Amino acid sequence: DVTLRKEAEDRLRAGHAAIQNSGNGIAITDNDATLQYFNPAMTTLLGADSHDQLVDANITSFLNNPTLGDSIGTAVLQGLTWTGELEMVCLNDANLFVQASVAPNTNADGATVGMVWSLLDISDQKRAQQELQERNAQMEEDLSLAREFQQAFIQRDYPTFPPGASLEDS
């Protein structure tokens, strides 16, 4: 009876189709972060013109901060999932900000044999956030300048009222 095998093959085929059509860049690397498998979204994300440009590439070579790759690898090899934001430099020299999740890839015995990377491009959001921070800083500077002008025009010596009253009675 091959029913179980057929069901397993169908699940694998469906999973593969989902990964291939995902909008996130998904890659599988060995323990040294050398690419073994990656979906079309990862090819586009890393600025490659073709699949062949990324074959046997080390995904940490795209990190703007290469030492971060070591800490990601250390965490994953300890069985932990690493999540965070990464700045990457693509093959087309574009800077890219991604939300990353890197999890251990384990074999049937539970040993870590590599890493599974999922990268979501957040460059537009990051640039908008930076622009907003710059605008807020400019607005704070403008408000500070306006405050200084207002303080310069405020009268410091107040007249007594009614005229001739002492300061305590005014």
Side-chain angles (χ1 to χ4, degrees):
D1 187 16
V2 295
T3 305
L4 291 177
R5 180 178 175 177
K6 176 128 175 65
E7 288 173 358
E9 287 175 353
D10 288 343
R11 282 193 305 275
L12 284 172
R13 199 173 357 271
H16 184 263
I19 291 170
Q20 286 294 101
N21 293 304
S22 173
N24 288 9
I26 298 174
I28 298 172
T29 67
D30 61 15
N31 286 334
D32 295 324
T34 301
L35 290 167
Q36 295 179 330
Y37 166 83
F38 47 93
N39 68 350
M42 183 66 80
T43 303
T44 303
L45 195 70
L46 295 178
D49 294 326
S50 70
H51 178 86
D52 295 338
Q53 284 183 286
L54 296 177
V55 173
D56 294 327
N58 190 302
I59 197 165
T60 60
S61 68
F62 294 97
L63 297 178
N64 192 41
N65 179 358
T67 59
L68 193 52
D70 295 335
S71 62
I72 292 171
T74 299
V76 172
L77 291 176
Q78 291 174 354
L80 304 172
T81 297
W82 185 94
T83 58
E85 290 182 6
L86 299 172
E87 184 175 357
M88 303 181 86
V89 180
C90 302
L91 289 175
N92 58 8
D93 292 327
N95 279 2
L96 180 71
F97 292 96
V98 296
Q99 178 64 42
S101 177
V102 186
N105 184 22
T106 57
N107 64 14
D109 298 327
T112 301
V113 294
M115 299 177 260
V116 179
W117 296 69
S118 176
L119 305 179
L120 174 64
D121 185 358
I122 59 169
S123 299
D124 291 339
Q125 294 92 326
K126 199 72 168 169
R127 287 186 192 103
Q129 181 183 22
Q130 288 173 343
E131 184 178 322
L132 183 61
Q133 287 172 342
E134 289 169 7
R135 285 184 180 181
N136 282 343
Q138 181 63 46
M139 190 180 301
E140 287 292 329
E141 187 178 317
D142 292 347
L143 287 172
S144 177
L145 185 60
R147 187 178 310 110
E148 288 178 32
F149 276 121
Q150 286 176 338
Q151 293 296 324
F153 290 113
I154 291 177
Q155 186 174 356
R156 300 275 185 235
D157 297 324
Y158 300 104
T160 57
F161 184 81
S166 68
L167 287 177
E168 294 84 26
D169 293 337
S170 176

